[in-house]
Amino acid sequence: MTVVLVHGNPETSAVWDLLSERLGALGYDDQVRLSPPGFGAPVPEGWTATVDEYRDWLVDELEEIGRPVDLVGHDWGGGHVLNVAMTRPDLLRTWCSDILGVYDPEYVWHELAQGWQTPGVGETAIAQRLAIPVEQAAAALADRGMTPAVAARVAAGFDAVMGECILALYRSAAQPVMAELGTGLEAAAARPGLALLPTEDHFVGTDEQRRRAAARAGARLEVLDGLGHWWMTQDPDRGAAALTRFWDSL
């Protein structure tokens, strides 16, 4: 089996470092990390960074691998995973996402996202982020729950291109776009799915929204009690256990 890891915003593939190490120690060493364009990877010419474009990018990457994979996504990476699971299940053996709640019809984007979605406000926020030292940005990520060593690696990857992609991606996903995409959740049940629910992650929907979306997608639910948005850095052992328990059960 091949494990494919896809990260989100405002991240680079370094966010997987600790979890990847634990999975390797458990024998899951066939791993591929895919960095979405703008998030630790170059953007192709003409890139517009929309929800649909990221889905198509991931489809192309998986087709290049050439065999069904165990696809794991975090944050917007989890959104890209769901969008593939709903449209190209033939590319997957299994899928896993921690962002299902954003597909619930009652989901409201969090405050940061609403700022990025607002013309002028978003540009100012990105400019302010670009102006601060990497050390300060890393400290801010750590304050929000990311393990400090990983936060330092991730913060170093933020640049103007990432900022532009953040604005374009979130604006392309302003409601009702996510609610409309969520009408296809049932299609994700074509392949075994795992919905991770870190109880202290308040960016991706309420507990009820996440559970409701997971049920519609036919996904197994794994609660990570006490962990937050960056569960894979806070307790990589628990994250690896949840994933391997799921894979080993199939």
Side-chain angles (χ1 to χ4, degrees):
M1 56 182 285
T2 299
V3 177
V4 176
L5 304 169
V6 188
H7 61 270
N9 165 59
E11 301 162 356
T12 68
S13 64
V15 78
W16 297 116
D17 284 353
L18 301 180
L19 179 68
S20 177
E21 178 184 334
R22 301 307 194 278
L23 290 174
L26 293 170
Y28 296 87
D29 50 8
D30 184 2
Q31 300 178 28
V32 177
R33 300 191 207 183
L34 295 179
S35 295
F39 295 88
V43 296
E45 184 176 354
W47 184 254
T48 58
T50 64
V51 174
D52 290 346
E53 198 165 31
Y54 278 106
R55 178 202 60 212
D56 294 344
W57 158 80
L58 185 52
V59 165
D60 289 343
E61 293 289 333
L62 296 177
E63 287 181 335
E64 187 70 22
I65 291 173
R67 58 191 176 278
V69 303
D70 294 288
L71 186 60
V72 181
H74 161 63
D75 187 79
W76 259 115
H80 308 330
V81 165
L82 256 296
N83 292 337
V84 171
M86 290 188 287
T87 56
R88 287 296 305 277
D90 58 295
L91 298 172
L92 310 178
R93 188 182 85 100
T94 68
W95 59 266
C96 172
S97 174
D98 58 8
I99 196 175
L100 273 79
V102 305
Y103 289 85
D104 187 85
E106 295 182 5
Y107 177 72
V108 176
W109 278 111
H110 54 84
E111 185 176 353
L112 280 173
Q114 291 185 43
W116 293 323
Q117 289 168 342
T118 304
V121 175
E123 282 78 5
T124 297
I126 295 300
Q128 290 172 342
R129 168 62 183 83
L130 288 167
I132 66 175
V134 170
E135 295 78 13
Q136 185 177 337
L141 291 173
D143 286 344
R144 286 158 51 194
M146 189 181 290
T147 301
V150 175
R153 300 172 208 151
V154 168
F158 193 98
D159 59 14
V161 173
M162 185 183 292
E164 292 170 2
C165 289
I166 289 170
L167 297 183
L169 176 57
Y170 278 89
R171 289 172 184 180
S172 77
Q175 294 291 22
V177 170
M178 298 309 295
E180 292 169 351
L181 287 171
T183 61
L185 273 176
E186 285 78 6
R191 290 292 183 270
L194 177 66
L196 295 178
L197 200 163
T199 58
E200 300 308 306
D201 185 353
H202 305 299
F203 290 106
V204 295
T206 65
D207 182 88
E208 180 182 1
Q209 288 167 350
R210 290 187 281 179
R211 289 177 179 273
R212 190 161 56 210
R216 290 183 53 211
R220 183 179 309 187
L221 189 69
E222 184 84 36
V223 176
L224 300 176
D225 190 46
L227 299 186
H229 189 66
W230 287 298
W231 53 271
M232 75 295 295
T233 77
Q234 292 174 297
D235 196 336
D237 289 316
R238 282 174 63 190
L243 289 167
T244 56
R245 190 159 48 242
F246 169 58
W247 295 326
D248 292 347
S249 71
L250 302 174

